[in-house]
Structure formats: C-alpha cells, structure tokens
C-alpha cells in the first residue's frame, strides 16, 4: 500500500489523519487571523458566542509565544499519535491546542506534556499503556505518509503503514538536506535524550556528547520543556542560552520559536556586558592570560591602587587657611572605608564622609580652641556649619577625586591593558598589552564584568538622575494642566456663572499625580530586560560548547545564576580555546564542588560511520583510549583525500563535486586562506560572520563548532590542532573531502591508508 498520499487510493487511515489536520488548521488559522472566519473578525463583530473564549485564547497565545510557533511552522505542527490500550487516542504536536467547547477539550497535546511522554519512551518490552505509536509525515498541510509501530503485540489490527524497525522517521530526518538553520527534533527525540530534556531544572546538569549526538538540540528542547513546566518562574526570570559565536546563535535561532517559546535570551559571552558587543578575538596567548582565574585578583589589585595616598601631602585652601592631608590621615580614612567591604564606587560616599570629618576637625581645632585651657568653644551647630562650608569647597572635592576617584569598568580595564606591568609577569604583560582605543575582544568581557563587580555603583548618581527625570515629567504634566485650565477658562468666558463651575482636570488632580499616571510602563520582555541588566539573575542558563569557556567567563556566568540552575553541554575532546578549562571538574569545583550531575550521550546521529572512523583515528593518535560516539548509520561513501599544488583551483573543483543538489556545503579552511579561496568560488565571501543559509559557506574550524552540513571540504588539515581537526572532520552528514599541499598529519594519513 502506498505511503505517498491518498488522492489515488482509498486509504482510510490517511483520510482520517488528513481530516484531523484540516480541522486542526481551521483552529490554527483562527488564532493566526489568516482567514475570513478569524479571531480578528469574530472580535470585530462582537456578537459571537465564541467571543470570550477567543479573547482568552488570543491572550494566552500572545503570552506563551504560541503565535510565534504558528508562524514558524506549518505542515509539521502535528507529527504523531498515540493509541492507548484503553481505546483513547492523542495527537502529539509542537504546541498544545484546545477545542472551542465549554470543557476546552485538548485537541493537540503539547510534546512536553506528561501524557505525551510514552510517544518517546514506550517500547515493545515496556509499552507504557500504548497499543500503537504513529508518526505523521507532512508536506505543508498535506499528510504524505504514516509510520506505525505496534507496541501491543497481542493486537492483530494492522493498517498497512507498519514500520517493522521503527527507525524510518529518524533515518529520514538524518538523511534530509540541511538548510543552514537547525530544526527541532520533537518528532524524533530518543529515550536517552528525553531523560535529559525532562531532568529537574534545579542544580547543574552536565550533558557530555561527541559530535553528532544531538546535545545542542537536546539542550534547546530542555529549555523549551523547562519554560513549559515552570512557566510562572521562568517567564519572569527568562532563560539564557550561551553559544560559542554569533553564527551558531543564528543557526539555532529558529528552534525555540518553532516550539512556541520566546522568553529566551541567546548571546555569546562577548554580548553579556550591557553596552558592549565584542566580536574581535585575541591571539591565543592573550586570551589564555585574560581567561585565567587569577585575573580576578589582578583586577582587585588594580582597583585598590585607585584608592591612593598623597605624595607626600595634598594642600587645600579654605577660608584663607591651608589644610594639609598627609598619608597618615588619608590612610586612616581609607582603611575605615575599606573595612565596610563595599565595592569601590559604592564605598566612595563613606570615604567622602571620613575626609570631610577629618578636615572639619582640623578647622574646628584651629578656630575653636581656647588658648588658655585648650577646650573647644564650638557647639554642634558650629561644627555642622564648618562641615557644610567644606562640602562646598571645590578643592576638597578635587582632593577626594584624586584619592578615591569614581571609575567605570571600561576605564579600569582599558587602563590596565594599556599598562599591565606590575600586575602580571613581563611575559603576560607583553601578551595582553594594547592601546586604550582598541576595540573590545570577547576575552575582555569577563574582565569588564569582574571590574563592574569590584567597582559597584554609587547609587547617588542614579538617584539624582531619576530625580531629574521625575522633575522633568512633573514640569511637563504641569504644562499640560495649565494649558487645559487656560482652555477651559477661555471656553467659559462668555457663559453664565453656573456653567463655568464645571470641574476641569486642573481642579481634581495635581501635576505630580498626573505625571505618575502617565509614566511609561516597561513593555519589554523578560529577555529584553535581562539583556540590558548586568545584575539580572536568570531562571536557568544553558551553555553550549561549555568546555571552551575560560575561568573568568565562568565567574561571569555564575553571577547570573545565583541558584546554580544550569545545563552545560559540551565535549572535552573538542576543547580548542587556549583559555578553555576542558574538564567538568575544573569548571565546576570552584563554584559548587562536587554538587553537579553528569550524563553522556553516546550515539552519533549526524556523522556516518565512514567519516567517524577517520575523525576518531586523529584523536586516538594522542589519546589511545579514546572512544567516539557510535554512528547509527552508514552511507557507503568513503571520505577522500587529495594533494595539490594549486590549492584555489583544487578547492574550486572539489566544491563543484561536493555541492549537493539540495542542502549545504562547508569549506573549512585556515582563516588566512579565506580571501584567496573566496576569490575562486562564485557567491562565496570571506565574511567574519558567514551566512549559513548560502549553498556554499567558507568557515574556519572554530566557526564550524556545533554546525552541520551535507558535505564538507577540509582544507590544509596540517594547520589545525587535534581538537580543531576533529571538529572539522565531523561536520558532514553525507560526504567529506580533504585537500592539502604539504604533508598530512600522520594520524590522518594513516586513517586514509
């Protein structure tokens, strides 16, 4: 029986599923507002019995991101059905939808709901109450195929759509052409993946997995599940997803919206300091120095040095007298201020008070001491007057600023990097030294965040700014009321006294209250507010390629997760960054000791066995005991390797051979070759941030992390380190080629025989 449609057949099962899909999209179109009988029209008429329910549905849809999901997917909204032995059936989809009846009966079950879980976990050995599991394949809104798995072997009913192995849908998804954007995996979530997705959100969960194990997809679906399961909490606090580079974030950016979730902030480490978007990278040696944990102590020392002492004294002219602040007096004020253990800028108010008190005592002693018995003749009001007069002296504030200046994180870090000598070794100083005007790098952002933590904020500045804004709003409100009053006065000039007694806005509300009523609400989402607030505490944080982050980057992230609710995804074997920690214990022990969970994904869904064998041989040359994830499929196509004397020409020829009819090809080459290669490839650019939706894209190994392509061409593998080469070799889902001009790495040469 054909599984390609029902137009030319009398397939009852296909007809029934198509009827369900058609009815489902009537409801979907109503929510979208795409049809004449839409929600919008019903509300405009205002006389339908559905109005109250429709209004509620629209509100729920907007709040949960349902409309975003409806706009992101079309024919694949529903992808499965489970038939229980009790006779009940449930359709499973990317989002949940209910009927318009009074009971609000579920029509489509959200894949995250508990009732949907047997769709992913049931087996013939443990059927979990299921008689049958059905996968629906669609093209747009048209059902094209059904794949049934019989779980109750005692049930003799057959539909003609049985899938003997149960793997047809998974293999079809794995073999499909890539689009340059990651798709969701809700139709093919495997049991080991489901366990991770639904794990408790408290605490730190480490998900380790080699190339192609789906760890990124699992992490994204975990975010969607947590937002579903803990909506009230996480909608307020948002979820942060940290990726290795902007291209990767663009690659995964459509997954969560397709699942109805928009309360998520996607960012690189270089984007986690408000006001700074660092895209530049440091040389490896500089990144390694900046990323070390001891940079926190270095910056603390830099801050302490901003709390200076006079050399040798500071003189202040006051009331035709000279007051002198020497290092003993200032040091006493400094130590008392430091004892409060406040951040530098927040502590300045205390330092100001100590200095003003010291100067007040000087003046009081000079003018108020009785020359005969040495007693002080000034009363408290006199002392207060002296202090107030000193507080109005510009020279006093000049001295305070010299001794305890307000400092911004940007200024502190820029000055330190311009002159790092004295804080780090001569070798490290040479690695990180740079001009003040240089653009920020990704490795600078954790330093900026550390500096912000050490410096804090003097909230008097913020309070003064808020008060000025408040005064402006009140003045504007008063102007509006005055205009209103003048208008009413003019209107009633020629009317009798009784009419003129009508109350105006001016009579019933003052400017201050009027301003309060018209203050703008913050309509930003939690994710948008979080992006602008360095001190925001996220409800959950997911970190992809977590092994690459430096100790300083981890300090930044831990500040944003006080509850330590995190999912870390990565593979130590792929650690390439010089500052990367590379081991889970090394990352986590400084923050949570051994209080974290670890799980490993061991099945490679992306990389064919033929390619994985070659990639694994490269790692085994350095780590003989290395065990790669097991590939679930074999294509029968062996990767190839070629030597050449004309690299651009050979690359152009190979691209012509490898470019798929559908899908994507990545040319992975050292960055210094990109311009030469791009010049020979039509439509290919040597951009810092590549467009992954192009048919052919040019990347370096670091840019390719976390991505996948139908075909991959690796250029000059001898220029890569082991981890970079391992990453480059494992990006392909179908075909792999290698081009080189010099000697191949020994392990790679042996792998190709």
């Amino acid at each position: 029986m054909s599984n390609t449609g029902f137009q030319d057949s009398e397939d009852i099962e296909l007809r029934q599923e198509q009827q369900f899909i058609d009815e489902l999209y009537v409801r979907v179109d109503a929510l979208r507002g795409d049809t004449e009988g839409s929600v919008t029209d019903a509300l405009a008429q205002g006389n339908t019995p559905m109005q109250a329910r429709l209004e509620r549905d629209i509100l729920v849809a907007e709040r949960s991101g349902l409309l975003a999901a409806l706009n992101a997917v079309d024919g694949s909204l529903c992808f499965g059905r489970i038939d229980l032995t009790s006779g009940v059936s449930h359709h499973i989809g990317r989002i949940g939808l209910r009927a318009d009846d009074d009971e609000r009966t579920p029509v489509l079950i959200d894949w995250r709901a508990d009732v949907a879980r047997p769709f992913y976990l049931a087996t013939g050995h443990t059927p979990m109450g299921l008689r049958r599991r059905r996968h629906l394949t669609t093209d747009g809104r048209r059902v094209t195929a059904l794949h049934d798995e019989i779980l109750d072997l005692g049930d003799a009913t057959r539909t003609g759509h049985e899938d003997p192995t149960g793997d047809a849908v998974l293999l079809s998804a794995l073999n499909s052409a890539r689009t340059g954007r990651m798709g969701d995996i809700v139709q093919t979530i495997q049991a080991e993946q489901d366990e991770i997705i639904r794990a408790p959100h408290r605490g730190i969960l480490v998900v380790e997995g080699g190339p192609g194990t789906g760890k990124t997809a699992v992490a994204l679906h975990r975010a969607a599940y947590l937002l579903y399961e803990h909506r009230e909490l996480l909608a307020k606090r948002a979820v942060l997803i940290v990726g290795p580079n902007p291209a990767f974030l663009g690659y995964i950016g459509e997954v969560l919206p397709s699942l109805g979730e928009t309360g998520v902030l996607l960012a690189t480490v270089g984007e986690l300091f408000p006001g700074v978007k660092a895209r530049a990278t440091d040389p490896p040696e500089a990144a390694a120095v900046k990323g070390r944990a001891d940079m926190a102590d270095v910056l603390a020392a830099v801050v302490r040095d901003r709390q200076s002492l006079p050399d040798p004294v500071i003189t202040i002219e006051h009331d035709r007298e000279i007051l002198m602040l020497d290092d003993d007096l200032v040091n006493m004020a400094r130590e008392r201020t430091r004892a409060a253990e406040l951040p530098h800028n927040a502590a300045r108010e205390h330092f100001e008070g100590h200095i003003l008190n010291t100067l007040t005592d000087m003046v009081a002693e000079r003018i108020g001491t009785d020359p005969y018995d040495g007693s002080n003749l000034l009363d408290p009001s006199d002392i207060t007057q002296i202090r107030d007069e000193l507080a109005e002296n510009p020279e006093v504030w000049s001295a305070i600023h010299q001794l305890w200046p307000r400092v911004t994180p940007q200024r502190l870090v820029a000055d330190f990097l311009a002159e790092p000598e004295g804080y780090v070794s001569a070798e490290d100083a040479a690695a990180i030294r740079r001009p003040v005007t240089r653009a920020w790098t990704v490795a600078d952002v954790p330093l900026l965040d550390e500096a912000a933590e050490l410096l804090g904020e003097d909230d008097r500045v913020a309070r003064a700014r808020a008060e000025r804004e408040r005064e402006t709003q009140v003045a504007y409100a008063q102007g509006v009321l005055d205009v209103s009053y003048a208008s009413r006065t003019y209107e009633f000039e020629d009317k009798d006294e009784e009419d003129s007694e009508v109350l105006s806005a001016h009579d019933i509300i003052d400017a201050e209250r009027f301003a309060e009523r018209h203050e703008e609400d913050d309509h930003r989402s939690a994710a948008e507010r979080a992006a602008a607030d360095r001190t925001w505490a996220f409800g959950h944080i997911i970190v992809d390629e977590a092994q690459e982050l430096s100790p300083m980057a981890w300090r930044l992230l831990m500040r944003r997760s006080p509850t330590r609710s995190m999912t870390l995804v990565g593979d130590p074997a792929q650690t390439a960054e010089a500052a990367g920690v590379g081991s889970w214990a090394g990352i986590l022990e400084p923050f949570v000791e051994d209080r974290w969970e670890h799980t490993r994904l061991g099945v490679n869904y992306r990389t064919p066995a033929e390619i994985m064998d070659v990639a694994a041989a490269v790692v085994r040359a350095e780590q003989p005991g290395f065990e790669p994830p097991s590939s679930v499929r074999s294509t029968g196509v062996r990767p190839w390797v070629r030597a050449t004397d004309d690299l651009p020409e050979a690359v152009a020829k190979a691209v012509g051979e490898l470019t798929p009819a559908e899908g994507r090809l990545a040319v992975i080459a050292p960055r210094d070759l990109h311009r030469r290669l791009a010049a020979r490839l039509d439509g290919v650019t040597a951009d810092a941030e590549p467009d992954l939706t192009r048919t052919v894209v040019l990347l370096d190994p670091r840019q390719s992390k976390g991505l996948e392509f139908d075909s991959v061409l690796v250029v000059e593998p001898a220029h890569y380190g082991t981890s970079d080469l391992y990453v480059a070799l494992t990006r392909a889902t179908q075909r792999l080629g290698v081009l080189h001009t010099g000697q191949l790495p020994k392990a790679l040469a042996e792998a190709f025989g």
Side-chain angles (χ1 to χ4, degrees), residues 517-534:
R517 291 188 179 185
H518 290 78
E519 285 180 354
E520 291 187 7
D521 294 329
D522 190 344
H523 296 294
R524 295 175 300 170
S525 68
E528 290 169 334
R529 286 182 281 122
D533 185 353
R534 191 194 71 82

Side-chain angles (χ1 to χ4, degrees), residues 318-336:
H318 181 73
D319 197 19
R320 291 178 293 183
E321 295 276 348
I322 298 299
L323 306 176
M324 291 190 295
L325 287 172
D326 60 27
D327 57 355
D328 287 338
L329 290 173
V330 173
N331 189 53
M332 185 181 299
R334 184 175 70 170
E335 292 308 310
R336 288 176 177 174

Side-chain angles (χ1 to χ4, degrees), residues 106-386:
V107 174
L108 186 65
I109 302 297
D110 193 299
W111 67 276
R112 296 165 288 190
D114 285 341
V115 71
R117 200 169 190 194
F119 183 80
Y120 300 109
L121 298 184
T123 64
H125 184 264
T126 309
M128 300 179 71
L130 297 193
R131 179 175 62 85
R132 180 189 312 274
R133 172 169 46 215
R134 167 169 289 177
H135 290 269
L136 280 69
T137 302
T138 56
D139 180 8
R141 299 186 178 193
R142 176 172 163 265
V143 181
T144 59
L146 306 178
H147 298 274
D148 289 343
E149 295 176 64
I150 304 300
L151 299 173
D152 181 0
L153 300 181
D155 187 345
T157 305
R158 295 293 181 267
T159 65
H161 296 281
E162 282 72 28
D163 175 6
T165 66
D167 293 332
V169 174
L170 174 62
L171 292 175
S172 175
L174 297 179
N175 288 315
S176 63
R178 269 45 191 172
T179 65
R181 293 287 181 264
M182 175 180 278
D184 63 62
I185 60 168
V186 288
Q187 190 171 0
T188 59
I189 292 172
Q190 303 300 294
E192 66 170 352
Q193 297 171 331
D194 184 81
E195 292 289 341
I196 296 169
I197 289 169
R198 298 174 190 261
H201 89 285
R202 295 292 184 185
I204 295 179
L205 174 65
V206 173
V207 182
E208 182 178 333
T213 53
K215 54 187 181 295
T216 297
V218 167
L220 293 173
H221 288 70
R222 175 163 168 75
Y225 172 77
L226 293 176
L227 285 162
Y228 172 86
E229 189 71 9
H230 307 282
R231 176 80 57 198
E232 185 175 352
L233 170 64
L234 296 184
K236 293 177 182 177
R237 303 311 310 169
V239 172
L240 170 65
I241 297 180
V242 180
N245 54 61
F248 174 84
L249 295 180
Y251 175 66
I252 68 172
E254 295 177 3
V255 174
L256 288 168
S258 76
L259 300 174
E261 298 302 342
T262 56
V264 176
L265 174 63
L266 277 69
T268 64
V269 169
E271 297 168 332
L272 288 177
F273 190 86
V276 172
K277 281 197 173 182
R279 299 292 171 85
T281 57
D282 285 296
E285 57 275 14
V289 174
K290 292 179 181 180
R292 289 198 312 241
D294 62 7
M295 287 302 295
D297 295 330
V298 169
L299 290 175
V302 175
V303 171
R304 288 176 69 86
D305 282 351
R306 291 298 182 104
Q307 303 160 4
S308 60
L309 296 174
D311 184 23
V313 297
I314 293 177
T315 59
I316 298 170
E317 183 177 350
H318 181 73
D319 197 19
R320 291 178 293 183
E321 295 276 348
I322 298 299
L323 306 176
M324 291 190 295
L325 287 172
D326 60 27
D327 57 355
D328 287 338
L329 290 173
V330 173
N331 189 53
M332 185 181 299
R334 184 175 70 170
E335 292 308 310
R336 288 176 177 174
T337 302
R338 286 176 173 175
E341 297 184 346
L342 294 172
H344 173 88
N345 289 333
R348 176 174 158 131
E349 185 175 4
H350 292 259
F351 184 75
E352 293 169 2
H354 290 309
I355 293 298
L356 283 170
N357 289 342
T358 297
L359 294 172
T360 299
D361 290 344
M362 286 184 188
V363 174
E365 184 177 356
R366 290 186 183 184
I367 68 174
T369 302
D370 189 308
Y372 297 103
D373 61 12
S375 62
N376 197 303
L377 302 176
L378 302 178
D379 60 29
S381 64
D382 295 326
I383 300 296
T384 299
Q385 182 178 350
I386 293 171

Side-chain angles (χ1 to χ4, degrees), residues 371-695:
Y372 297 103
D373 61 12
S375 62
N376 197 303
L377 302 176
L378 302 178
D379 60 29
S381 64
D382 295 326
I383 300 296
T384 299
Q385 182 178 350
I386 293 171
R387 196 179 193 279
D388 290 344
E389 291 172 351
L390 283 164
E392 295 177 356
N393 187 334
E395 291 192 24
V396 172
W397 292 106
S398 177
I400 289 173
H401 183 70
Q402 176 183 337
L403 298 169
W404 198 288
R406 291 191 185 93
V407 187
T408 66
Q410 290 89 334
R411 173 52 58 187
L412 186 86
V413 174
D415 289 349
F416 161 65
L417 293 176
E419 296 184 26
E421 290 80 7
Y423 296 104
V424 296
S425 69
E427 182 180 359
D428 289 346
I432 64 175
R433 187 188 303 109
R434 69 170 201 205
V436 171
T437 56
R438 183 77 61 84
W440 297 115
T441 68
V442 173
D444 292 333
V445 168
L447 302 185
L448 291 169
D449 197 72
E450 189 74 30
E453 197 73 10
L454 292 166
L455 293 170
E457 291 187 22
D458 186 342
D459 64 354
R460 292 175 300 169
V461 176
R463 291 201 307 267
R465 185 186 307 113
E467 183 59 30
R468 288 194 300 271
E469 292 174 356
R470 172 71 177 163
E471 289 172 356
T472 300
Q473 291 170 350
V474 171
Y476 176 78
Q478 185 65 58
V480 172
L481 292 174
D482 290 345
V483 170
S484 172
Y485 179 72
S487 175
R488 296 287 290 179
T489 302
Y490 175 78
E491 181 182 347
F492 289 112
E493 267 183 348
D494 299 327
K495 296 191 178 184
D496 58 37
E497 186 175 342
E498 183 178 346
D499 288 338
S500 66
E501 292 300 320
V502 177
L503 291 175
S504 69
H506 201 284
D507 299 313
I508 60 177
I509 191 170
D510 61 20
E512 206 162 319
R513 289 188 179 180
F514 188 61
E516 288 175 0
R517 291 188 179 185
H518 290 78
E519 285 180 354
E520 291 187 7
D521 294 329
D522 190 344
H523 296 294
R524 295 175 300 170
S525 68
E528 290 169 334
R529 286 182 281 122
D533 185 353
R534 191 194 71 82
T535 63
W536 189 273
F538 287 91
H540 194 78
I541 295 179
I542 292 175
V543 185
D544 203 302
E545 302 294 347
Q547 76 281 350
E548 302 288 7
L549 270 59
S550 71
M552 288 300 292
W554 283 111
R555 288 176 64 87
L556 177 155
L557 288 177
M558 291 296 174
R559 290 189 194 103
R560 285 152 177 76
S561 181
T563 61
R564 303 296 190 256
S565 178
M566 308 177 84
T567 302
L568 312 184
V569 180
D571 179 14
Q574 297 183 59
T575 305
E577 297 292 341
V581 178
S583 77
W584 304 121
I587 290 169
L588 296 172
E589 284 182 357
F591 305 101
V592 295
E593 297 180 341
D594 61 351
R595 299 186 302 277
W596 49 281
E597 299 293 330
H598 177 273
T599 187
R600 181 175 177 82
L601 293 168
V603 178
N604 186 335
Y605 298 99
R606 175 177 67 224
T607 316
E610 293 85 353
I611 295 176
M612 200 63 216
D613 289 344
V614 172
V618 171
V619 181
R620 285 200 185 101
E622 291 187 359
Q623 304 174 35
F626 173 71
E627 286 298 329
S630 302
S631 296
V632 299
R633 63 196 178 97
S634 173
T635 61
V637 180
R638 290 286 300 170
W640 53 259
V641 60
R642 297 173 189 162
T644 180
D645 294 327
D646 187 346
L647 194 61
E649 174 63 24
V651 168
K653 181 180 178 181
V655 166
E657 295 176 15
L658 289 171
T659 301
E662 295 182 2
R664 301 293 181 269
L665 164 68
V667 178
I668 302 178
R671 179 59 66 89
D672 58 5
L673 295 178
H674 280 200
R675 292 194 180 279
R676 286 177 57 203
L677 299 182
R680 293 295 307 274
L681 301 173
D682 292 338
V684 176
T685 58
D687 297 327
E689 302 301 336
D691 180 359
L692 299 178
T693 64
R694 290 176 177 266
T695 302

